[in-house]
């Protein structure tokens, strides 16, 4: 228990330094949000969520849930050396845990009116890295425009695909764009 308390203190200090986009009137961030935002291992996130179950569905001062942070950090969870990514595991913990998971969080927009799928698509996440789970629990999110850019999730994914240097990354980005469009082809009609 003492080790966990020390980890909590370390996480909160790191969150203050790294996640410095918090409003100045209240620089505190819930522990679970900090763990997810700092891209800590899924095991740590599970323990934080288990100890602070109320934080899974409670927003921070900017209306962001832990799922928003998970969506924003999907690409940071890639381990290029061994070809793994634990982003989908983190998304599943937050959405599907039988103890504290909540699939309703995928349909909640933050104060900037951005849903988790908008953050994931803009971050350049691949379909299998957690976008698929977001779509599974909230398919209507594919038909929601991002309030900041006005783009649908497939277009957000397309807009960031040119940022990838490797042809392998661009190919997986094209696959993500295709799969997002395949799941919601009706968005093309809205563009006409």
């Amino acid at each position: 228990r003492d080790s966990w308390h020390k980890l909590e203190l370390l996480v909160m200090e790191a969150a203050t330094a790294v996640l410095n986009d918090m409003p100045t009137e209240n620089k505190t961030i819930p522990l679970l949000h900090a763990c997810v935002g700092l891209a800590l291992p899924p095991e740590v996130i599970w323990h934080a969520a288990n100890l602070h179950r109320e934080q899974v569905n409670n927003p921070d001062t900017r209306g962001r849930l832990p799922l928003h942070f998970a969506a924003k950090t999907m690409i940071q969870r890639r381990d290029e050396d061994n070809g793994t990514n634990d982003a989908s595991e983190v998304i599943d913990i937050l959405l599907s845990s039988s103890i504290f998971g909540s699939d309703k969080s995928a349909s909640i927009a933050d104060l900037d009116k951005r849903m988790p799928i908008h953050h994931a698509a803009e971050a350049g996440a691949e379909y299998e890295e957690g976008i698929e789970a977001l779509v599974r629990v909230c398919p209507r999110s594919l038909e929601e425009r991002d309030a900041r850019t006005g783009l649908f999730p497939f277009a957000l994914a397309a807009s960031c695909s040119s940022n990838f240097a490797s042809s392998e990354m661009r190919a997986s980005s094209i696959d993500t764009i295709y799969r997002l469009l395949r799941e919601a082809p009706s968005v093309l009609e809205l563009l006409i």
Side-chain angles (χ1 to χ4, degrees):
R1 183 79 182 148
D2 189 45
S3 297
W4 180 257
H5 179 69
K6 289 177 184 177
L7 179 63
E8 284 182 359
L9 293 173
L10 182 62
V11 166
M12 296 311 291
E13 283 300 314
T16 302
V18 175
L19 305 174
N20 61 0
D21 61 348
M22 298 301 295
T24 54
E25 74 273 2
N26 182 4
K27 289 201 176 225
T28 61
I29 182 171
L31 177 69
L32 180 58
H33 298 59
C35 289
V36 176
L38 293 170
L40 296 182
E43 298 81 11
V44 173
I45 291 169
W46 187 92
H47 285 289
N50 193 39
L51 288 172
H52 301 281
R53 295 175 186 177
E54 74 286 354
Q55 292 181 8
V56 172
N57 289 311
N58 285 343
D60 68 3
T61 57
R62 294 189 55 197
R64 299 173 298 188
L65 299 171
L67 191 60
H68 290 92
F69 285 96
K72 290 172 78 165
T73 60
M74 284 182 181
I75 200 162
Q76 295 169 347
R77 295 182 165 282
R78 286 187 187 141
D79 184 343
E80 302 295 340
D81 294 336
N82 66 16
T84 61
N85 186 323
D86 61 14
S88 62
E89 186 178 350
V90 172
I91 297 291
D92 283 339
I93 287 170
L94 297 171
L95 291 176
S96 307
S97 170
S98 61
I99 301 171
F100 49 76
S102 172
D103 59 4
K104 77 175 187 172
S105 58
S107 64
I108 296 175
D110 59 21
L111 294 181
D112 294 326
K113 301 196 181 343
R114 302 186 83 205
M115 297 174 77
I117 196 163
H118 298 129
H119 290 290
E122 184 178 61
E126 294 178 22
Y127 197 77
E128 296 83 14
E129 289 177 334
I131 290 179
E132 182 175 22
L134 294 172
V135 170
R136 184 183 66 247
V137 299
C138 186
R140 76 167 179 81
S141 66
L142 294 174
E143 297 175 351
E144 296 287 333
R145 289 181 187 265
D146 176 44
R148 194 177 57 159
T149 63
L151 299 175
F152 291 106
F154 86 89
L156 272 171
S159 71
C160 74
S161 67
S162 61
N163 298 337
F164 298 126
S166 76
S167 59
E168 182 180 309
M169 289 297 293
R170 281 192 299 275
S172 68
S173 176
I174 290 168
D175 180 63
T176 299
I177 296 162
Y178 168 75
R179 291 173 82 173
L180 291 171
L181 275 171
R182 189 179 68 191
E183 293 289 330
S186 61
V187 297
L188 294 176
E189 294 172 8
L190 299 172
L191 297 174
I192 299 174

